[in-house]
């Protein structure tokens, strides 16, 4: 998490927190064979958290709570021991604290995705689990009287015909819902913006002319080759991107910082947007799905700079490499102004 200082005229002010995140999903050969649902995830022994800053943290625990000793090793610092506490506070969400022996404290917040692996942040650095987490047996609850079991909505029909991604002939702002009623009264309502067409155009320009957006700092792992053409525009993907922005704008900044790709499409709200059965998949994109998200950046130009040029370090050029993934064929973008984060930008990509 960082804060940007911007100058407006003769005034100096602090902008909203800025943040960016990326995720990609490729369907396995047996993608139709989905794993059974899990009512409660937990730890089943050795756990390894692989951090984007080069450190790996490990501990051993069984059940929904983590206890005992932890150790972190890696290239960016010496090995260090500590004591882990905390655990799962929801079926797919955990909140861990590690008090290191040197007096520092690590805060690990993560969510379990559709592959049963956890993804989250640790003091600003991204992490994932090297191995899937386990499903902790729970006693099945009796269905409510007069109720019926909840089921997943069927996938949407085949996406409509596509055209090169770009601004529509005339203004066509995407509809947006109001933030949840729990938002503070001082928070302005979220509204769509014409900046959507700007981010669409800039993403396609970056995709076909990445040399205009050279990566800064350590370029290890950064894609450099252009794609032959722009994304094909998909209204279905644009609709899912707009819906994702609406959802993020209804959450706190802290929530979005640790769960940028989660979408409220399951009872516990912890399904990732790119999971099988989630919004992008339901829109008809089954073989390859990806999503990049930013919050707080006031302009499309600032977002594309963050995604293409300032995406190193813990982010490992994830946004840039997704934009330059020529295997992705279609895309839809959305921008929303309002909510606690000020601005929300989502680009969803996929192949049917």
């Amino acid at each position: 998490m960082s804060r940007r200082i911007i100058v407006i005229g003769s005034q100096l002010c602090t902008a909203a927190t800025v943040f960016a995140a990326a995720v990609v999903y490729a369907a396995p050969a047996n993608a139709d064979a989905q794993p059974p649902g899990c009512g409660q995830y937990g730890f089943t022994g050795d756990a390894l958290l692989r951090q984007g800053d080069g450190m790996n943290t490990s501990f051993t625990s069984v059940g929904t709570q983590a206890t005992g000793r932890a150790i972190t090793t890696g290239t960016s610092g010496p090995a260090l021991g500590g004591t882990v506490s905390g655990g799962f506070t929801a079926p797919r969400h955990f909140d861990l604290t590690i008090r290191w022996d040197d007096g520092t404290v690590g805060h690990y917040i993560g969510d379990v995705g559709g592959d049963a692996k956890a993804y989250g942040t640790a003091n600003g650095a991204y992490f994932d689990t090297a191995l899937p987490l386990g499903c902790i047996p729970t006693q099945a609850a009796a269905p409510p009287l007069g109720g019926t079991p909840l089921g997943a909505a069927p996938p949407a029909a085949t996406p409509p015909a596509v055209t090169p991604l770009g601004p529509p002939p005339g203004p066509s702002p995407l509809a947006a819902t109001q933030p949840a009623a729990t938002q503070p009264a001082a928070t302005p309502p979220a509204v769509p913006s014409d900046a959507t067409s700007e981010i669409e155009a800039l993403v396609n320009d970056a995709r076909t002319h990445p040399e205009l957006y050279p990566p800064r700092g350590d370029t290890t792992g950064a894609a450099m080759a252009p794609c032959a053409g722009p994304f094909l525009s998909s209204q279905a993907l644009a609709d899912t991107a707009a819906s994702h922005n609406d959802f993020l704008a209804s959450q706190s900044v802290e929530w979005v910082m640790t769960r940028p790709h989660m979408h409220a499409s399951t009872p516990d709200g912890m399904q990732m947007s790119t999971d099988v059965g989630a919004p992008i998949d339901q829109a008809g994109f089954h073989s390859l799905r990806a999503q990049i998200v930013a919050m707080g950046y006031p302009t499309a130009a600032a977002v594309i700079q963050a995604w293409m040029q300032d995406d190193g370090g813990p982010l490992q050029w994830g946004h840039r490499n997704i934009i330059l993934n020529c295997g992705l064929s279609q895309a839809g973008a959305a921008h929303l102004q309002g909510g606690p984060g000020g601005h929300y930008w989502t680009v969803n990509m996929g192949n049917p």
Side-chain angles (χ1 to χ4, degrees), residues 16-347:
T17 299
V18 293
F19 174 74
V23 66
V24 63
Y25 166 89
N30 60 343
D32 292 335
Q34 300 181 33
C38 179
Q40 178 63 63
Y41 281 92
F43 307 106
T44 57
D46 293 337
L48 175 61
L49 310 181
R50 303 178 298 188
Q51 299 174 201
D53 59 3
M55 303 300 288
N56 294 323
T57 299
S58 59
F59 59 89
T60 301
S61 290
V62 175
T64 59
Q65 300 302 300
T67 59
R69 296 291 291 173
I71 186 171
T72 184
T73 60
T75 58
S76 60
L80 185 64
T83 302
V84 61
S85 62
F88 279 82
T89 59
R92 289 176 177 260
H93 178 69
F94 63 81
D95 190 335
L96 303 176
T97 297
I98 302 180
R99 301 187 180 280
W100 298 109
D101 294 343
D102 65 354
T104 59
V105 177
H107 195 195
Y108 296 74
I109 302 176
D111 294 283
V112 181
D115 57 358
K117 293 183 180 181
Y119 303 86
T121 58
N123 293 15
Y126 293 107
F127 75 82
D128 62 15
T129 54
L131 298 173
L133 297 178
C135 191
I136 305 300
T138 57
Q139 184 175 359
L145 294 177
T148 55
L150 294 176
T158 303
V162 294
T163 56
L165 183 64
S172 180
L174 297 173
T177 59
Q178 293 294 325
T182 54
Q183 289 298 112
T187 300
V191 294
S193 167
D194 288 341
T196 294
S197 60
E198 295 180 40
I199 196 63
E200 288 177 346
L202 286 172
V203 165
N204 274 329
D205 189 54
R207 180 176 172 85
T208 54
H209 301 95
E211 71 280 2
L212 302 179
Y213 307 85
R216 298 188 283 213
D218 185 358
T219 62
T220 303
M224 298 292 186
C227 294
F231 285 109
L232 298 176
S233 179
S234 164
Q235 186 59 49
L237 285 173
D239 289 343
T240 63
S243 176
H244 192 65
N245 282 345
D246 290 341
F247 175 65
L248 295 183
S250 72
Q251 308 298 323
S252 69
V253 168
E254 292 75 17
W255 197 99
V256 176
M257 289 287 292
T258 57
R259 308 171 182 86
H261 302 294
M262 297 298 167
H263 196 85
S265 53
T266 67
D268 62 10
M270 290 294 108
Q271 186 181 53
M272 295 182 70
S273 297
T274 53
D275 281 349
V276 172
I280 300 176
D281 182 58
Q282 289 185 17
F285 297 86
H286 309 305
S287 63
L288 188 63
R289 299 182 290 277
Q291 180 183 74
I292 53 178
V293 173
M295 177 181 70
Y297 294 91
T299 66
V303 173
I304 202 66
Q305 176 180 307
W307 284 346
M308 290 295 292
Q309 298 184 265
D310 300 325
D311 202 36
L315 300 178
Q316 298 182 314
W317 301 105
H319 305 81
R320 181 185 178 93
N321 292 352
I322 286 178
I323 292 173
L324 294 175
N325 182 343
C326 303
L328 289 161
S329 62
Q330 300 183 34
H335 167 252
L336 200 63
Q337 182 175 354
H343 294 267
Y344 299 84
W345 310 79
T346 297
V347 180

